[in-house]
Amino acid sequence: QEISLDIREGEIFGIIGRSGAGKSTLLRTLNQLERPSEGDIHFEGRDLLALQAGELREVRRRIGMIFQHFNLLSSRTVAGNIALPLELAGVPQARIAKRVDELLELVGLSEQRDRYPSQISGGQKQRVGIARALATEPRVLLCDEATSALDPETTQSILRLLLDINRQLGLTIVLITHEMQVIRTICDRVAVLDKGFVVEYGPVADILLHPKHPVTRGMVRESSHHEESADLGSVLGLSGPLLRLTFLGEITYQPVLENIAKALGVSFNILEGVIGRIKDTPYGQLTVQVIGSEADVGRVEAAFEEQSIHCEVLGS
């Protein structure tokens, strides 16, 4: 409902939401597997909803898609599955063989080329799915919960592969997921869906570090396994205001609390925190109690702001 998004060439764009939020439906409108009841979808300067059937088939070759459950043909080998879209497009056999070799090398499956889907692991099946989606040299790759059927280690290897493909080929990737960690690992921007509406939309760092909508806050909290910071004081039986500090970039690794404590003559009680990376950017969030007077809290706030560290007072 009332979706309005732009996806930029060459970025990795995430769409996240809980089950039933509309993620798969939205993704499937991008290649017209689902046709919207109204509106328009522009790709390479053309409105996809205005295309005839033959024109739409041609455009779909520029939009690859990989699926949660792989959708491989059990009767075909790894190489045969990758070759299928090229065969359907009428590409000459010599060109197919060369392209399949290129793709097997890209996804690290050259040694598995003659195996059948039943003979390879789930992660390898997804690599076949990625190679098959890239066969026709698309400019956009749609990923429908591409890692949710995989274990954590395999998920990370597939995400690294998608990131490498994005960087090597300049490929635009649109992925849907219900896992905030996937968004945190590889996405540049993200849209949060709830009940068919986009409730938040923007750079991943902004959305993850300063979520505004209750759905987003809940998903961020679940992915970090933290208490709701605003309730932390009462949970721990603490009086006085708490500060939530957000670090972004290299300052994350600097001894800022120690420096400010020495400069202002105050102490900090660190209540919870996390340090990690959002794609290539280090970040940190700490919830602290200032041991000092009310005036000290104001001076501490100002000192953090001078260091370009976002500081939020959570209340008593």
Side-chain angles (χ1 to χ4, degrees), residues 189-201:
R189 294 189 303 143
V190 61
V192 183
L193 260 62
D194 181 48
K195 299 176 183 175
F197 291 88
V198 173
V199 295
E200 291 204 57
Y201 164 49

Side-chain angles (χ1 to χ4, degrees), residues 8-11 43-44 59-64 133-134 136-142 165-166 168-174:
R8 298 167 185 166
E9 185 174 5
E11 76 174 338
F43 173 59
E44 296 184 330
V59 168
R60 278 180 175 151
R61 293 174 186 163
R62 308 273 288 161
I63 307 175
L134 296 176
T136 57
E137 301 183 72
R139 296 306 306 147
V140 176
L141 182 63
L142 308 180
I165 288 169
N166 165 256
Q168 288 180 37
L169 306 181
L171 188 69
T172 304
I173 297 178
V174 185

Side-chain angles (χ1 to χ4, degrees), residues 28-145:
R28 289 163 64 87
T29 63
L30 301 185
N31 59 2
Q32 293 297 280
L33 293 179
E34 298 276 357
R35 189 171 180 84
S37 53
E38 60 182 330
D40 37 55
I41 300 169
H42 292 272
F43 173 59
E44 296 184 330
R46 307 169 78 184
D47 181 0
L48 301 189
L49 274 67
L51 300 181
Q52 300 299 315
E55 295 174 308
L56 184 57
R57 281 195 298 272
E58 183 63 32
V59 168
R60 278 180 175 151
R61 293 174 186 163
R62 308 273 288 161
I63 307 175
M65 190 166 189
I66 59 176
F67 303 89
Q68 176 180 356
H69 297 297
F70 321 129
N71 290 4
L72 303 182
L73 295 179
S74 60
S75 60
R76 280 182 169 246
T77 63
V78 166
N81 270 282
I82 296 171
L84 182 59
L86 297 171
E87 294 171 5
L88 295 175
V91 175
Q93 194 60 44
R95 174 62 185 139
I96 291 176
K98 183 174 184 294
R99 181 64 176 155
V100 168
D101 286 345
E102 293 170 352
L103 291 166
L104 286 167
E105 179 69 24
L106 178 66
V107 301
L109 291 178
S110 296
E111 295 183 2
Q112 285 76 34
R113 62 174 303 126
D114 296 323
R115 294 185 180 181
Y116 289 87
S118 62
Q119 299 173 311
I120 61 177
S121 69
Q124 290 171 329
K125 289 175 184 176
Q126 193 56 283
R127 287 172 180 267
V128 177
I130 292 171
R132 181 185 57 190
L134 296 176
T136 57
E137 301 183 72
R139 296 306 306 147
V140 176
L141 182 63
L142 308 180
C143 304
D144 189 356
E145 297 273 11

